[in-house]
Amino acid sequence: MSDGPVGGVPVPAERRGRPRSAAVDRAVIETVLRLLEDGVTVAELSMERIAREAGVGKATVYRRWAGKEALMLDVLRSLDAGAPELAGGPARDDLVALLEFLRRRGLAKRSSAVLRTAVAQVRAHPRLWQEYHDTVVAARRRAFHEVLRRGMAAGEIRADLDVDLLTDLFVSPMLSRAILHDWQELPEGLAEQIVDTVLEGVRARPAVGPGDSPGSSGAVVPGRKS
């Protein structure tokens, strides 16, 4: 887990002992990125080679990362923009912010050869890819869950729906365009369009009273003008 970015590169949590050198951490991670960009595969990388290419001792690398998988996770994190800060207001606004983060990451992946290479290399290693999902991706999903539960508590979203399924409904259209159909555009406003379309179907509605016909509610999507 990282303590925070240093020069755009997250620094893994310190272990006991003498103070860590941020410059060494950065040099090691940038060395891995350079090797990946040069066509070296994850399988061909070794901690010894990484240390040699970075100009540091093997023990120095092992003091920071228990093994190659831990190092590769920090390499991926170094390419990942920080998650957005959520305002904590209407659920719609925070959902848009989370999806906009995914849209921008999709654009970054398309424009960054290093990011494309690193992700492709990690995906070829199931255990490492699973670890990435269990940490980075899981944290993103938890953020969606928290926003959705807050929206349910505020009466903006139906409370009888599963937050895992709802997260998929919001996220899948963006990921489909960004990853599965990467020839499709990711235009500005796409996050808002997805959120408003899904919310139209899952918004909480007043109970139908005597004399009212189903679907007669005049409620509007939270955050949108009527």
Side-chain angles (χ1 to χ4, degrees), residues 11-215:
V11 178
E14 290 188 6
R15 300 184 182 185
R16 294 179 182 176
R18 60 185 179 182
R20 292 275 300 275
S21 166
V24 171
D25 294 334
R26 185 165 56 247
V28 171
I29 289 177
E30 289 179 350
T31 294
V32 176
L33 290 173
R34 175 175 55 79
L35 291 170
L36 291 175
E37 190 175 15
D38 289 344
V40 180
T41 67
V42 171
E44 293 170 335
L45 285 175
S46 66
M47 298 294 268
E48 292 80 1
R49 179 174 182 180
I50 293 167
R52 184 174 64 252
E53 296 275 354
V56 299
K58 183 173 68 173
T60 298
V61 177
Y62 274 111
R63 275 199 299 270
R64 287 158 169 77
W65 296 278
K68 187 168 66 176
E69 289 190 1
L71 173 53
M72 285 304 303
L73 281 176
D74 275 335
V75 169
L76 280 181
R77 291 187 183 108
S78 76
L79 296 170
D80 209 354
E85 288 192 17
L86 302 180
R92 175 192 181 270
D93 295 347
D94 283 347
L95 288 169
V96 168
L98 290 170
L99 276 189
E100 178 63 12
F101 168 79
L102 294 182
R103 185 185 78 89
R104 291 183 177 277
R105 176 163 172 76
L107 290 172
K109 183 180 176 184
R110 291 180 182 183
S111 64
S112 170
V114 177
L115 180 54
R116 287 198 306 272
T117 300
V119 171
Q121 289 282 350
V122 171
R123 289 187 70 172
H125 293 76
R127 206 170 99 180
L128 183 52
W129 187 241
Q130 185 63 51
E131 183 71 16
Y132 177 71
H133 268 260
D134 290 346
T135 54
V136 178
V137 176
R140 293 177 190 161
R141 289 189 68 85
R142 283 196 300 272
F144 273 95
H145 292 176
E146 290 169 8
V147 172
L148 291 168
R149 290 192 180 101
R150 180 158 41 82
M152 291 174 176
E156 302 170 73
I157 298 172
R158 285 171 47 191
D160 62 330
L161 300 173
D162 179 75
V163 291
D164 258 324
L165 175 61
L166 278 182
T167 297
D168 289 339
L169 290 175
F170 284 107
V171 171
S172 294
M174 188 68 77
L175 293 185
S176 175
R177 285 200 180 200
I179 299 174
L180 298 180
H181 305 99
D182 57 7
W183 62 87
Q184 292 188 335
E185 293 185 359
L186 295 171
E188 288 190 20
L190 180 60
E192 289 88 343
Q193 184 180 359
I194 293 171
V195 169
D196 289 340
T197 299
V198 177
L199 282 180
E200 181 64 29
V202 303
R203 69 186 179 192
R205 301 176 187 272
V208 177
D212 292 333
S213 59

